[in-house]
Amino acid sequence: MKIAVMATCLGDAMFPQAVKATVRLLHRLGHEVVFPEGQTCCGQMHVNTGYLREAVPLVRHHVEVFEPVADGGWDAVVAPSGSCTGCVRHQHAVVARRAGDEVLAERAEAVAARTYELSELLVDVLGVTDVGAHYPHRVTYHPTCHSLRMLRVADKPLRLLRAVRGLELVELPDAEVCCGFGGTFAVKNGETSTAMLADKMRNVLGTRAEVCTAGDSSCLMHIGGGLGRLRTGVRTVHLAEILASTEAGRTPAAAGTPGGVRDEPVEAQR
Amino acid sequence: MSGAREEVLARLRAARDAGAPRGGVPPVPRGYHRSGSLAPGSAQVLDLLVERVEDYRARVLRAGSDDEVAGAVARCLDEAGSRRVVVPADLAPGWRPRTGEREVVEEHPGSPLAVAELDDLDAVVTGSTVAIALTGTIVLAGGGPGQGRRALTLVPDHHVCVVRAADVVETVPEALARLDPSVPLTFVSGPSATSDIELDRVEGVHGPRRLDVVVLR
Amino acid sequence: MSTTDLGMPAVRGGARDGSRDTGLPTHSVAGQGNLRGTTSFPRAAHEKLADTQLRRNLGKATGIIRGKRAGVVAELDDWEELRLAGSALKADVMARLPELLEQLEENVTARGGHVHWARDAAEANAVVAELVRATGSDEVVKVKSMATQETGLNEALAEQGITAWETDLAELIVQLGHDAPSHILVPAIHRNRSEIREIFLREMPGVDPALSDDPRELAMAARAHLRRKFLTAKVAVSGANFAVADTGTLCVVESEGNGRMCLTLPGTLITLMGVEKLVPTFSDLEVFLQLLPRSSTGERMNPYTSTWTGVTPGDGPQEFHLVLLDNGRSAVLADEDGRAALHCIRCSACLNVCPVYERVGGHAYGSVYPGPIGAVLSPMLTGISGPDDPNASLPYASSLCGACFDACPVRIDIPNLLVQQRAASVESHPRPTAQDLALRAAALVMSSPGRFAAAEKGLALGRLLAGREGRISSLPWPLSHWTDSRDVPAPPAETARQWWARTGGHDEQDGERS
């Protein structure tokens, strides 16, 4: 298959390791991967903050960049993000229609129809649950709200994780409760967001997992930001990074964002 | 006040059109169960009713004949210590308690008891119109056979209610289909209760604190 | 009637503010009733989050009710079909609302009831007060009713020298505590048993000083306190859960029997209900009488459901008045998406599953309608007057986690309505706010790959801020709201875009580690 990667603005700028892991994983599974270079942002932050008018150019740009998937140029678009996929699938057409642009709405629907979150692509489209990964760590999984309730990915990420060699999966209590991120909610209602985060962290720490994983870098940034501030020693790792890890490969423990921080001092990487 | 009527209706007419869904309003999908899988009055539907009524911490007794109903009613009254009992005048004679030491007051539609008089009585014995097994609910129809007016089953603290097997259905839709909306209806599911304090359920508040149900096969 | 809409901009959907008779969809009147608080949600939440007892009370109560609801919903294999039917029935009601109301009026009148109409809260209160005065009574017993909380009826009656006795246990706790309701179903959910005991000891005349904090004892104290009132009251005021257009039947769903007392014993019954509480036919109750109790109290059926149609000779009140209230509902109806908020059957399931509600409680929302549905319904009823309107902050009081939609028995897409109301909030700004400018600039940057790539170069600054630790722990306002409690990772040395440009995606070596 020829699959285009939608990096998402956050993945591109702040969490490229999740994007790179997605590419590496799809290559390993024998697929051709393209990175549409014109891509920027799906507009989710604008939509969810109420800037629906301002989001129209972002939707239009996204549709223009990813339209080859609707025309047969590519077979699928994949994003390592439940919420960005959810925005494309459930909000783009709404934004266009609200602006009175029915043509754009229909184009957006055509792109959305072939845009998948990573676990959906793997399980539903590519039909794999065992991706041949190896990740010898104690891991707990936080189902992000938009993958769970907007995309209904259900247990697909868990099925993928259960097939990972060496991985010890521990159930997260109250897993389905929001971590408190919510995009600009975390800033506009920072204190309420923090109260929600506190309960999520308590549950994560209670599992004694060394890694908390999820399908969204944004929620992981939030959970990891809290875990890091308190120096809990638990790191956050995107699902793609775990699935990309192999025994032969060199990713394992080094992957991810330990407690919201890279595991090596920035200078040391130069 | 007619100004308010015309203004509110005008606003709503304008709003109805301004906000009309572009795709129209779809027909109501009726994919839910409109009837149960258990036959009305069947042994299984009675078992379900008993289980569900008991779940509300109401007491359920079974009877196989009118005589057994009278005996069960007497037992319920005795156990609760209910000595002064009111019944609607048209309560089936066979269901009235015949044993024990008690005063039975009849209420006739033409001469209702004062509220204070009702408050002095210990218990009320009535029939019922329909029962819903799935939810453990008994429906009283105001003025229905052996059911009296609403206050009768409300003010006395102890309600003994007779349910006939033929009136027991499995689901809510089956029950509503049997009811006449023009008379006042009271759906009773267990004794009065509240969960207003820390969601901790307490049975027995303003309505009858004790509900006994006699199911007649 | 006074007009207080000077300077208020007309709002999307053509809805007007104020109470002028224009015959057009109209918001509630500012300054009337209890649909708007005095502070923004984040400021109110700041105070509530510091109340550790409140957190404990809410966490415990919502946890219990979530569990009960989940249990009884799972029992029905046709729950989703019931939700679909409930949603479609309400959509049908909205599409025919004026006609159905006239049908209801005709049927209630034919059965000996009287129907009154009220444009707004003040008018509804005035109508009720006048009806009470006409009976010669100076007190009423009340069944718990959101509509009368919305209009502030008790306060309005008090101004006319009429005492309103709340008879629902939770409403009684709120009334005796000189408090405000904080939940649609359990208005005193923010109080625990020992707080309730203290309120009773302080405020309930003749209460046993040895009263314990056992919920049963407390409930029995309430019974004793209200018993005489029930038996002697001449007038009752209620709300309605449902009104049936084709029969004129009213329906009240309750637990304690206080509703039955009020609906049965007094000679006069006055029912105040929002115009949206209709169902088309009596048999349609078969859907809602299944959806409501399971969603609301988490029971298969609530202890008591009462229905009545007009007046029944020899049974119950012989005077029945129905007051139909607009108070902003016409404005909500005029909004194609937004009218779904009028589908709400006030079950409160969305409150109980909301992680925001669970942590701040209902008072932080200012309006009598708290939680997710309140965060959309309140600003829709009142309109949003500008960035400083407390109701402008309500649509943002959600992380858009979607738990409310899943719990809603009539499938109201609350997350979508929250987003729509955020848009209404943004559109109410008379001049751009700092947030407007920031998001517009971001949209400009993000809609162009060139500008976006250029902006990403600024990430180097973040690496500098992060320093050797690789984390950022302090950022300027408004991002300080993030770094107050959370670190930000240092930006990577190379963006995904740069990595792809350098390697074409085939460099299996991680750029930043090479």
Side-chain angles (χ1 to χ4, degrees), chain C residues 356-370:
Chain C
V356 173
Y357 177 88
E358 183 181 344
R359 283 161 185 85
V360 302
H363 292 155
Y365 295 78
S367 162
V368 290
Y369 300 113

Side-chain angles (χ1 to χ4, degrees), chain A residues 35-216:
Chain A
F35 187 102
E37 291 187 30
Q39 65 177 294
T40 53
C41 165
C42 66
Q44 183 188 188
M45 177 175 74
H46 287 84
V47 175
N48 284 351
T49 312
Y51 292 82
L52 302 193
R53 249 188 327 228
E54 288 78 359
V56 175
L58 294 171
V59 171
R60 183 172 293 115
H61 179 69
H62 179 91
V63 168
E64 281 164 4
V65 169
F66 286 95
E67 207 152 34
V69 78
D71 303 338
W74 311 320
D75 297 302
V77 174
V78 67
S81 164
S83 64
C84 298
T85 307
C87 177
V88 167
R89 201 178 289 166
H90 294 289
Q91 295 181 324
H92 275 190
V94 173
V95 167
R97 284 214 171 89
R98 196 172 186 273
D101 194 337
E102 183 60 31
V103 176
L104 180 61
E106 283 171 21
R107 289 168 67 197
E109 278 167 350
V111 170
R114 286 171 183 265
T115 301
Y116 304 95
E117 180 270 341
L118 180 62
S119 73
E120 291 180 322
L121 178 85
L122 293 170
V123 176
D124 292 345
V125 182
L126 304 180
V128 288
T129 46
D130 183 351
V131 296
H134 178 258
Y135 193 79
H137 299 281
R138 187 175 166 92
V139 175
T140 194
Y141 169 73
H142 166 64
T144 60
C145 299
H146 290 178
S147 25
L148 196 66
R149 286 179 282 263
M150 217 170 181
L151 301 180
R152 312 275 173 194
V153 301
D155 68 342
K156 283 164 207 163
L158 289 169
R159 282 154 65 192
L160 290 160
L161 286 168
R162 283 191 201 108
V164 173
R165 252 69 87 200
L167 187 147
E168 185 191 352
L169 187 63
V170 277
E171 193 184 330
L172 180 64
D174 290 336
E176 299 188 355
V177 178
C178 178
C179 73
F181 173 62
T184 49
F185 172 78
V187 175
K188 290 179 76 80
N189 281 286
E191 291 179 77
T192 306
S193 166
T194 298
M196 292 159 69
L197 175 61
D199 289 334
K200 184 57 68 179
M201 289 199 291
R202 179 169 50 76
N203 283 319
V204 169
L205 295 173
T207 65
R208 307 222 156 265
E210 52 181 308
V211 171
C212 174
T213 190
D216 277 273

Side-chain angles (χ1 to χ4, degrees), chain B residues 5 32-33 198 201 204-205, chain C residues 60 77 105 223 286 299:
Chain B
R5 180 184 190 276
Y32 57 90
H33 305 313
E198 297 182 20
R201 189 177 158 103
V205 197
Chain C
K60 183 181 176 201
D77 64 2
E105 179 185 44
R223 178 185 161 99
E286 70 190 23
E299 295 167 300

Side-chain angles (χ1 to χ4, degrees), chain B residues 28 30 32 34 176, chain C residues 86 89 92-93 96 242 244 246 279-290:
Chain B
V28 177
R30 303 275 182 179
Y32 57 90
R34 300 196 85 179
L176 286 183
Chain C
L89 279 166
D92 175 43
V93 167
R96 299 191 285 142
F242 307 104
V244 181
D246 82 331
V279 299
T281 70
F282 183 73
S283 68
D284 293 327
L285 287 176
E286 70 190 23
V287 174
F288 296 103
L289 290 184
Q290 297 193 72

Side-chain angles (χ1 to χ4, degrees), chain C residues 55-313:
Chain C
R55 286 280 283 287
R56 159 76 185 158
N57 296 352
L58 286 169
K60 183 181 176 201
T62 56
I64 290 172
I65 202 159
R66 279 197 301 269
K68 286 176 69 179
R69 176 195 165 277
V72 294
V73 163
E75 280 183 8
L76 294 189
D77 64 2
D78 59 348
W79 183 251
E80 289 308 317
E81 286 75 16
L82 285 165
R83 288 178 79 210
L84 286 167
S87 169
L89 279 166
K90 280 294 185 178
D92 175 43
V93 167
M94 297 312 144
R96 299 191 285 142
L97 192 55
E99 299 90 313
L100 291 175
L101 285 167
E102 287 177 286
Q103 193 188 6
L104 174 76
E105 179 185 44
E106 193 184 322
N107 284 317
V108 169
T109 308
R111 291 295 311 266
H114 305 277
V115 177
H116 312 261
W117 302 71
R119 283 165 275 218
D120 52 49
E123 189 166 38
N125 294 343
V127 168
V128 175
E130 186 50 45
L131 290 169
V132 177
R133 244 198 322 255
T135 67
S137 179
D138 62 357
E139 62 177 18
V140 299
V141 285
K142 278 189 70 202
V143 193
K144 182 180 138 36
S145 141
M146 291 308 300
T148 62
Q149 287 284 3
E150 175 186 327
T151 63
L153 177 66
N154 291 5
E155 296 72 23
L157 290 179
E159 280 172 21
Q160 309 272 340
I162 299 165
T163 308
W165 296 82
E166 291 290 354
T167 65
D168 168 76
L169 178 53
E171 288 285 10
L172 177 68
I173 293 163
V174 166
Q175 189 179 40
L176 290 176
H178 311 290
D179 201 353
S182 70
H183 190 275
I184 291 173
L185 172 74
V186 194
I189 197 168
H190 56 288
R191 298 288 193 190
N192 68 11
R193 60 187 71 192
S194 65
E195 293 170 294
I196 294 165
R197 172 177 172 269
E198 279 165 32
I199 291 168
F200 281 12
L201 285 177
R202 198 174 59 233
E203 302 284 342
M204 206 179 252
V207 73
D208 179 0
L211 183 71
S212 83
D213 67 359
D214 172 31
R216 170 167 300 279
E217 257 191 63
L218 294 168
M220 287 313 107
R223 178 185 161 99
H225 172 68
L226 289 172
R227 187 82 182 165
R228 189 112 317 266
K229 282 289 157 214
F230 283 134
L231 302 184
T232 58
K234 302 268 184 294
V235 185
V237 174
S238 85
N241 291 96
F242 307 104
V244 181
D246 82 331
T247 58
T249 305
L250 276 292
C251 178
V252 163
V253 169
E254 52 123 2
S255 295
E256 296 168 11
N258 64 309
R260 291 179 68 191
M261 290 281 180
C262 294
L263 301 173
T264 310
L265 299 183
T268 299
L269 171 62
I270 304 166
T271 298
L272 173 63
M273 78 170 216
V275 289
E276 80 283 17
K277 309 231 83 177
L278 280 176
V279 299
T281 70
F282 183 73
S283 68
D284 293 327
L285 287 176
E286 70 190 23
V287 174
F288 296 103
L289 290 184
Q290 297 193 72
L291 290 172
L292 181 55
R294 289 180 199 257
S295 300
S296 182
T297 51
E299 295 167 300
R300 296 185 183 109
M301 192 66 91
N302 48 290
Y304 299 130
T305 295
S306 296
T307 73
W308 71 97
T309 305
V311 169
T312 305

